[in-house]
Amino acid sequence: MQGQMMNRPLLISGLMEFAERIYPNNEIVTRRVEGDIHRYNYADAAKRCRKLANALARLGVSSGDRIGTLAWNTHRHYELYMGVSGMGAIVHTVNPRLFPEQILYIINHAEDRVLFVDLTFIALLEPMAEQLTSLEGIVVMTDRAHMPDSSIKGLICYEELLDAESDQYEWPVFSEETAASLCYTSGTTGNPKGVLYSHRSTVLHAQASCQAGALNISLDTTVLPVVPMFHVCAWGSPYAATLTGAKMVFPGPHMDGASLHELIDAEQVTLALGVPTIWMGLLAYMDEIGKTLESVESVVVGGAAAPMSLIQQFEEKHGIFLIHAWGMTETSPLGTVNSNSRVMKSMPLAERYQLQAKQGRPIYGVSIKIVDDEGIELARDGVAFGRLLITGPWIADSYFREDHSENFIDGWFDTGDVATISPDGYMQIVDRRKDVIKSGGEWISSIELENVALGHPGVAETCVIGVAHAKWDERPILLVVKKPGETVSEGDMIDYLTGKVAKWWLPDAVVFVDELPHTATGKLLKMTLRDQYQSYLLGR
Amino acid sequence: MQGQMMNRPLLISGLMEFAERIYPNNEIVTRRVEGDIHRYNYADAAKRCRKLANALARLGVSSGDRIGTLAWNTHRHYELYMGVSGMGAIVHTVNPRLFPEQILYIINHAEDRVLFVDLTFIALLEPMAEQLTSLEGIVVMTDRAHMPDSSIKGLICYEELLDAESDQYEWPVFSEETAASLCYTSGTTGNPKGVLYSHRSTVLHAQASCQAGALNISLDTTVLPVVPMFHVCAWGSPYAATLTGAKMVFPGPHMDGASLHELIDAEQVTLALGVPTIWMGLLAYMDEIGKTLESVESVVVGGAAAPMSLIQQFEEKHGIFLIHAWGMTETSPLGTVNSNSRVMKSMPLAERYQLQAKQGRPIYGVSIKIVDDEGIELARDGVAFGRLLITGPWIADSYFREDHSENFIDGWFDTGDVATISPDGYMQIVDRRKDVIKSGGEWISSIELENVALGHPGVAETCVIGVAHAKWDERPILLVVKKPGETVSEGDMIDYLTGKVAKWWLPDAVVFVDELPHTATGKLLKMTLRDQYQSYLLGR
């Protein structure tokens, strides 16, 4: 028997309509690509989103079409989020930090019909413009005065495009399963893979992320997404902010410590989201100028594990709680969040830091489990570690136009991470599955070894890989980039690690290198290093 | 084009599984019907819900069957919420405060197959048991030792029923549109009408009610639903608490001031929900004993407008914020909530009270509007008032086995209320549509007149109705029940009202009566009074 409730689909246009109607005067502030501060409110934004929808319709865009963006976090990018998805098309956020051949691949694979691009990326686009065969139009996200000279013909000006349109538009109503946005994930191997979010997944994810046990976003929050809107939709924060009417602040391309500090202070940001590197920069800047940030209550850290020193510095120097979170492009991205709580506040700091170093608990809507190589579920005892699987209404069930069914097993997505889960639900990433070192049947976490080694004052970067070993199948070796001018020996490193990790985890060799190879998005290319050092221990 | 996200339905069993897995040790505390305190946790509750599901299956209950309850707020009633809906059947909460003939009508109309009943209500049930023809079993929610002697044959003991079962049970997965629970609303006329909630509506409502801009329920909250679980599912709070792992406290039948004070203090409740009458009792008790409640941060008031004195007393005597909310059985029930915010905290108290007296803003998911008699939308200017319509995924689109299509217009539910909406989204109920007084084409709010008149120190209860008038079509008359031993005259009342309401709102007559007629749930029977006093002014 069916319930007798109204059949109202969860649509992204509904978020916009809600904010416009209930919180029309709440602000959206942007440091524009052009450099100045732009300020308007949800009522203004909603009007421009409707103009954009009219403009897209005039350009011939219809339901299901992919519309690309190469853009920073700005109010215009936000308008594309709402306007493109709202009209039934798909906003495809392309990561401009990828290698040009990857960008080319992605836009062609998605068959984007129109591309919206920030001034910054015109130069990047020019050499490949002719090969972007699906594109029927390129819109530069600026006004007439700032339109660039370019080798690309027929560039459209964003502000002119909008100016020509009426702000009257009725958002269409369609199935909530309809695709809303597309984001490609670049692993360390193979072509980038597209994840196609739906209106339903986006809205449910936004609802869940606002909860106090997740990112705790409300009307009283001022949200600064430093994490890019081309990086899993800025972790969904623009949708979540709209749902609550929270003030939003966009940094544009200006993400250095000084710019962030000024913007946060001027706009009284209370919640900021970003990867560890960003926060290192901000903390270093604040150390330098001897200032703090009074308004900020929490920073959300994801994209990579938060180092203990980051948690400590925010807490002890600035009274800011670091919310450690974990997710992936395939998970929208929020999977687990380590939020503040009454229990946590009552803990001694040292104990709290240990807990904060974990990636947190699943938020309602997703379930996680760890399994062994045969798919048998492992104990939630905080000790056993295994492959981390996840399921829920905002988790991908396949990739866009690709078969990778090996990643999707019985309704669960295999994250490729190896993790532990504690009896009270806290998940901690141990390693990437392909990077974990199998020594005599036991597992060693390359990440944990790297993090401990990174604590040595003479060390700038570390990488631990497993290489072939005659007796133990695989043993860890530690690659180290020294800080300029520092002298560190193999013996120093082993001495430093001794007592900090299990004895049998100690690397069999320490290799000093000038630099380590990375992907375009900054991930270590461990596969390359494994190939290179495969026989390193065999010759000894 | 469809998104490529996992197809995971929103099911009530998922709430229970989540709480069991992530917050197994968080408590659920009940003052039992038997009088003592019962204490267990989400892990225990989940096990018993699975036993219950096995027991229901053994009794022959299957998907879509209605299972009645006549019960207080207790852990056993909670198990029925989760276990009955979880297995795919429908938990039908019957209001024991209705007249016996209404209870009989409701159970027969719903065709309940099994009825779960608290000890308290056996005596109520005995005279009608033979006429409850759809029932195949009656389960008494107690243990063997407390089983009553009864004229009803074959009563089943709840604890024995569970004891016989395994706690292993796999919750079935089905469409989220499946019916989950059923609640009848009793108006002042006609038969009660059933509202059939779905799993989807229940889960979306729970997600929305946890938001900081709604009831602000999180892991740190200790929730006390004093509002009965037979009254729109205790406003959905048991589902919301489960979703966040919040500690829950159930008062059983003990809702007097002394019992509530003791329970709240002992269990350190932070959020309590109930109708104004309950809070009047608690406040009077605290005045009497000269104590306060340190743990409580907010009380939620719904079911009837919160009088200004209630808002003030909570704030000024106890530092407790009163969250004013509005909803109906047909709206699950949360429609609008007047939550605390940074802006509100910065207001002078007098101004804040004026704002708090409004029923609040719609929570994300629902939309409201006011329309005139022709269905034309009226201005959101805080002045215009019209029929309040509402829509959203947890709003009824029809009644169970009844046609009342006049209440459902173009995807909107006509609430029967008359309201204003301010430019910043605050809704205020002016009157019930059938009670508003039309004097010479202008509307007078009977509720507002009643509330002002109630401020007179000699007055115990007031009722304002519109009666026929030769010149103005309709004019208000005021019915007053005096406090024992008080002398108040018609002139006194008019003097008291003068200056507090518009001059043309002043009643044309004041009638002193010994008592006023009410429905079983305490609503004033204004229709009866209008019939009685219809010609009162014409004879003058």
Side-chain angles (χ1 to χ4, degrees):
Chain A
M1 186 178 293
Q2 298 239 309
Q4 294 177 231
M5 294 282 120
M6 286 183 184
N7 175 24
R8 286 270 163 176
L10 305 172
L11 297 180
I12 289 170
S13 56
L15 300 176
M16 190 81 250
E17 287 182 312
F18 182 73
E20 181 184 18
R21 187 156 267 189
I22 310 299
Y23 307 107
N25 302 317
N26 292 11
E27 283 185 311
I28 301 171
V29 179
T30 299
R31 194 194 291 272
R32 296 203 302 170
V33 177
E34 296 89 333
D36 57 341
I37 294 287
H38 176 271
R39 188 181 294 278
Y40 69 172
N41 61 31
Y42 280 105
D44 301 325
K47 271 189 197 139
R48 283 171 53 93
C49 290
R50 292 193 293 267
K51 285 180 172 225
L52 177 63
N54 281 323
L56 291 167
R58 179 162 53 89
L59 293 177
V61 172
S62 63
S63 174
D65 286 347
R66 273 77 64 205
I67 306 300
T69 66
L70 266 172
W72 300 110
N73 292 11
T74 70
H75 65 292
R76 293 191 184 110
H77 206 172
Y78 174 71
E79 289 160 8
L80 285 157
Y81 267 42
M82 296 289 153
V84 173
S85 301
M87 70 149 347
I90 299 166
V91 62
H92 169 207
T93 54
V94 183
N95 183 346
R97 291 183 185 145
L98 295 177
F99 297 115
E101 57 271 27
Q102 290 179 308
I103 295 177
L104 184 62
Y105 170 85
I106 286 176
I107 296 176
N108 283 333
H109 184 267
E111 295 185 274
D112 292 338
R113 289 190 59 193
V114 182
L115 182 67
F116 286 77
V117 57
D118 266 334
L119 282 168
T120 324
F121 306 118
I122 297 291
L124 171 73
L125 207 57
E126 283 174 341
M128 68 175 81
E130 303 241 315
Q131 298 167 74
L132 297 169
T133 48
S134 64
L135 287 189
E136 296 165 34
I138 296 178
V139 182
V140 186
M141 296 164 73
T142 192
D143 52 28
R144 172 49 57 189
H146 291 84
M147 280 296 283
D149 285 326
S150 172
S151 63
I152 306 173
K153 297 289 159 235
L155 289 176
I156 302 167
C157 167
Y158 185 87
E159 291 300 331
E160 282 183 354
L161 187 71
L162 263 59
D163 282 347
E165 299 296 336
S166 156
D167 64 11
Q168 300 296 306
Y169 179 88
E170 189 85 15
W171 297 109
V173 175
F174 40 73
S175 157
E176 68 192 32
E177 313 283 355
T178 305
S181 58
L182 175 63
C183 187
Y184 281 73
T185 176
S186 63
T188 47
T189 56
N191 280 321
K193 300 188 286 280
V195 178
L196 192 62
Y197 309 106
S198 67
H199 285 258
R200 172 182 167 93
S201 71
T202 305
V203 172
L204 289 177
H205 180 267
Q207 274 277 38
S209 26
C210 294
Q211 303 288 350
L215 306 186
N216 197 18
I217 296 176
S218 77
L219 185 61
D220 288 349
T221 313
T222 296
V223 183
L224 174 74
V226 185
V227 53
M229 291 173 78
F230 54 75
H231 184 79
V232 211
C233 301
W235 302 342
S237 56
Y239 304 111
T242 309
L243 189 150
T244 60
K247 176 176 169 180
M248 239 183 313
V249 182
F250 291 122
H254 315 281
M255 289 178 281
D256 58 287
S259 300
L260 286 179
H261 186 270
E262 186 195 332
L263 189 64
I264 290 172
D265 200 42
E267 300 302 332
Q268 293 288 292
V269 168
T270 64
L271 180 77
L273 305 92
V275 295
T277 319
I278 288 292
W279 303 129
M280 306 284 201
L282 178 62
L283 287 169
Y285 175 77
M286 289 197 287
D287 276 353
E288 192 186 309
I289 61 164
K291 286 200 178 159
T292 188
L293 286 167
E294 298 294 344
S295 63
V296 179
E297 292 161 14
S298 309
V299 293
V300 182
V301 170
M308 186 66 90
S309 64
L310 197 63
I311 299 172
Q312 284 177 319
Q313 279 189 71
F314 270 123
E315 181 64 39
E316 292 169 14
K317 294 188 181 169
H318 306 286
I320 293 172
F321 184 86
L322 185 149
I323 301 174
H324 201 177
W326 169 86
M328 304 173 70
T329 305
E330 291 87 341
T331 66
S332 290
L334 282 187
T336 63
V337 180
N338 204 333
S339 60
N340 209 345
S341 69
R342 202 162 50 185
V343 171
M344 219 183 242
K345 282 173 193 152
S346 71
M347 285 180 181
L349 266 187
E351 186 184 338
R352 201 191 88 182
Y353 292 152
Q354 289 300 327
L355 185 57
Q356 269 185 282
K358 300 187 177 198
Q359 275 78 5
R361 296 192 269 207
I363 55 177
Y364 167 73
V366 297
S367 301
I368 59 171
K369 63 177 178 182
I370 47 173
V371 300
D372 66 15
D373 281 337
E374 279 70 49
I376 308 297
E377 187 168 354
L378 297 172
R380 294 164 182 264
D381 58 8
V383 178
F385 54 96
R387 297 156 62 182
L388 178 67
L389 308 190
I390 186 167
T391 188
W394 54 83
I395 312 299
D397 75 353
S398 52
Y399 290 109
F400 184 57
R401 297 179 164 177
E402 292 282 352
D403 179 37
H404 284 279
S405 51
E406 71 279 9
N407 295 328
F408 304 93
I409 307 150
D410 297 333
W412 293 78
F413 170 64
D414 187 341
T415 63
D417 280 325
V418 169
T420 62
I421 304 177
S422 73
D424 51 353
Y426 282 89
M427 186 275 284
Q428 185 159 28
I429 299 288
V430 172
D431 214 334
R432 289 294 293 169
R433 182 165 159 67
K434 59 185 187 308
D435 298 332
V436 78
I437 296 152
K438 284 161 200 129
S439 169
E442 299 287 335
W443 286 7
I444 297 172
S445 163
S446 67
I447 292 178
E448 193 171 333
L449 270 177
E450 285 162 8
N451 282 343
V452 175
L454 198 58
H456 189 289
V459 163
E461 193 178 8
T462 56
C463 175
V464 171
I465 52 172
V467 299
H469 189 278
K471 181 170 177 193
W472 301 107
D473 291 338
E474 228 177 56
R475 285 294 299 163
I477 68 168
L478 168 64
L479 308 179
V480 172
V481 180
K482 284 184 275 199
K483 282 186 186 161
E486 296 282 344
T487 33
V488 190
S489 70
E490 174 158 8
D492 292 341
M493 287 310 301
I494 298 294
D495 286 350
Y496 180 78
L497 293 173
T498 302
K500 294 190 179 72
V501 299
K503 193 151 184 285
W504 63 277
W505 279 35
L506 287 175
D508 280 24
V510 181
V511 184
F512 294 93
V513 294
D514 291 338
E515 59 175 352
L516 289 164
H518 296 94
T519 68
T521 54
K523 297 175 191 165
L524 274 172
L525 273 171
K526 291 197 178 178
M527 202 178 56
T528 309
L529 292 165
R530 272 194 296 267
D531 286 347
Q532 190 178 338
Y533 290 93
Q534 189 53 33
S535 312
Y536 193 82
L537 294 178
L538 299 179
R540 285 194 154 192
Chain B
M1 186 178 292
Q2 298 239 312
Q4 293 177 233
M5 293 282 121
M6 285 185 184
N7 175 24
R8 286 270 163 174
L10 305 172
L11 298 179
I12 289 170
S13 56
L15 301 175
M16 190 81 249
E17 287 181 313
F18 181 72
E20 180 185 19
R21 188 156 268 191
I22 311 299
Y23 307 107
N25 301 316
N26 291 9
E27 283 186 312
I28 302 172
V29 179
T30 300
R31 193 194 293 273
R32 295 203 302 170
V33 177
E34 297 89 333
D36 57 343
I37 294 287
H38 176 271
R39 188 180 294 277
Y40 69 172
N41 61 30
Y42 280 105
D44 301 326
K47 270 188 197 140
R48 282 170 54 92
C49 290
R50 291 194 292 267
K51 285 180 172 226
L52 177 61
N54 281 323
L56 290 167
R58 179 161 52 89
L59 294 176
V61 172
S62 63
S63 173
D65 287 346
R66 273 77 64 205
I67 306 300
T69 65
L70 266 172
W72 300 109
N73 293 11
T74 70
H75 66 292
R76 292 190 184 112
H77 206 173
Y78 174 72
E79 289 161 8
L80 285 158
Y81 267 42
M82 296 289 153
V84 173
S85 301
M87 71 151 343
I90 299 165
V91 61
H92 169 208
T93 54
V94 183
N95 183 347
R97 291 183 185 144
L98 295 177
F99 297 115
E101 57 271 26
Q102 289 178 308
I103 295 177
L104 183 62
Y105 169 85
I106 285 177
I107 295 176
N108 283 332
H109 184 267
E111 296 186 274
D112 291 338
R113 287 191 59 193
V114 182
L115 183 67
F116 287 77
V117 57
D118 266 334
L119 282 168
T120 324
F121 306 118
I122 296 290
L124 170 74
L125 206 57
E126 283 174 341
M128 67 175 82
E130 301 241 316
Q131 297 167 75
L132 296 170
T133 48
S134 64
L135 287 189
E136 296 164 35
I138 296 177
V139 182
V140 186
M141 296 163 73
T142 192
D143 52 26
R144 171 51 55 191
H146 291 83
M147 280 297 283
D149 285 326
S150 172
S151 63
I152 306 173
K153 297 288 159 240
L155 289 177
I156 302 168
C157 167
Y158 185 86
E159 291 299 333
E160 282 184 354
L161 187 71
L162 262 59
D163 283 347
E165 298 297 335
S166 156
D167 64 11
Q168 300 296 306
Y169 179 87
E170 189 86 14
W171 296 109
V173 175
F174 40 72
S175 157
E176 67 191 35
E177 313 283 354
T178 305
S181 59
L182 175 63
C183 187
Y184 281 72
T185 175
S186 64
T188 48
T189 56
N191 280 321
K193 300 189 285 281
V195 177
L196 192 62
Y197 308 107
S198 68
H199 285 258
R200 173 182 167 92
S201 71
T202 305
V203 172
L204 289 177
H205 180 267
Q207 274 277 39
S209 26
C210 294
Q211 304 287 350
L215 306 187
N216 197 17
I217 296 176
S218 77
L219 185 62
D220 289 348
T221 313
T222 295
V223 183
L224 174 74
V226 185
V227 53
M229 291 173 76
F230 54 74
H231 185 79
V232 211
C233 301
W235 301 342
S237 56
Y239 303 111
T242 309
L243 189 150
T244 61
K247 176 176 170 180
M248 241 185 312
V249 182
F250 291 122
H254 314 281
M255 289 178 280
D256 58 288
S259 300
L260 286 179
H261 186 271
E262 186 195 331
L263 189 65
I264 290 171
D265 200 41
E267 299 301 331
Q268 292 289 292
V269 168
T270 64
L271 180 76
L273 304 93
V275 296
T277 320
I278 288 292
W279 304 129
M280 307 282 201
L282 178 62
L283 286 169
Y285 174 77
M286 289 196 287
D287 276 352
E288 194 187 309
I289 61 165
K291 285 202 178 157
T292 187
L293 285 167
E294 298 295 342
S295 63
V296 179
E297 291 161 14
S298 308
V299 294
V300 182
V301 171
M308 186 67 90
S309 64
L310 197 63
I311 299 172
Q312 285 176 317
Q313 278 189 72
F314 269 122
E315 180 65 38
E316 292 169 15
K317 293 189 182 168
H318 306 285
I320 293 171
F321 184 86
L322 185 148
I323 300 174
H324 201 177
W326 170 86
M328 303 173 69
T329 305
E330 291 87 342
T331 67
S332 289
L334 281 188
T336 64
V337 181
N338 204 331
S339 60
N340 209 346
S341 69
R342 203 162 49 183
V343 171
M344 218 181 241
K345 282 172 193 153
S346 71
M347 285 180 180
L349 265 187
E351 187 185 337
R352 199 190 88 182
Y353 292 152
Q354 289 300 326
L355 185 57
Q356 269 186 280
K358 299 187 177 197
Q359 276 78 6
R361 295 192 269 207
I363 55 176
Y364 167 74
V366 298
S367 301
I368 59 171
K369 63 177 177 182
I370 47 173
V371 300
D372 66 15
D373 282 338
E374 279 71 49
I376 308 296
E377 187 167 353
L378 298 171
R380 294 164 182 264
D381 58 8
V383 178
F385 53 97
R387 296 157 62 182
L388 178 67
L389 308 191
I390 186 167
T391 188
W394 54 83
I395 313 299
D397 75 353
S398 51
Y399 291 109
F400 184 58
R401 297 178 165 177
E402 292 282 351
D403 178 37
H404 285 277
S405 51
E406 71 279 9
N407 295 329
F408 305 93
I409 308 149
D410 297 333
W412 294 78
F413 170 65
D414 187 343
T415 63
D417 279 326
V418 170
T420 62
I421 304 177
S422 73
D424 51 353
Y426 283 89
M427 187 276 283
Q428 185 160 29
I429 299 288
V430 172
D431 213 335
R432 288 295 292 168
R433 183 165 157 67
K434 58 185 189 305
D435 298 332
V436 78
I437 297 153
K438 283 161 200 128
S439 168
E442 298 287 336
W443 286 7
I444 297 171
S445 162
S446 68
I447 292 178
E448 193 172 332
L449 270 178
E450 285 162 7
N451 282 342
V452 176
L454 199 58
H456 189 290
V459 164
E461 193 178 8
T462 57
C463 176
V464 170
I465 52 172
V467 300
H469 188 279
K471 182 173 176 192
W472 302 106
D473 291 337
E474 228 177 57
R475 285 293 301 161
I477 68 169
L478 168 63
L479 309 179
V480 173
V481 180
K482 284 184 276 200
K483 282 186 185 161
E486 296 282 343
T487 33
V488 188
S489 71
E490 174 158 8
D492 293 341
M493 287 311 300
I494 297 295
D495 285 349
Y496 181 77
L497 293 173
T498 302
K500 295 191 178 70
V501 300
K503 192 151 186 282
W504 62 276
W505 279 35
L506 288 174
D508 280 25
V510 180
V511 184
F512 294 92
V513 294
D514 291 337
E515 58 175 353
L516 289 164
H518 296 94
T519 68
T521 52
K523 298 175 192 165
L524 273 172
L525 273 170
K526 290 197 178 178
M527 202 179 55
T528 309
L529 293 166
R530 273 194 295 267
D531 286 348
Q532 190 179 339
Y533 289 94
Q534 190 51 35
S535 313
Y536 193 82
L537 295 178
L538 301 179
R540 284 194 152 192

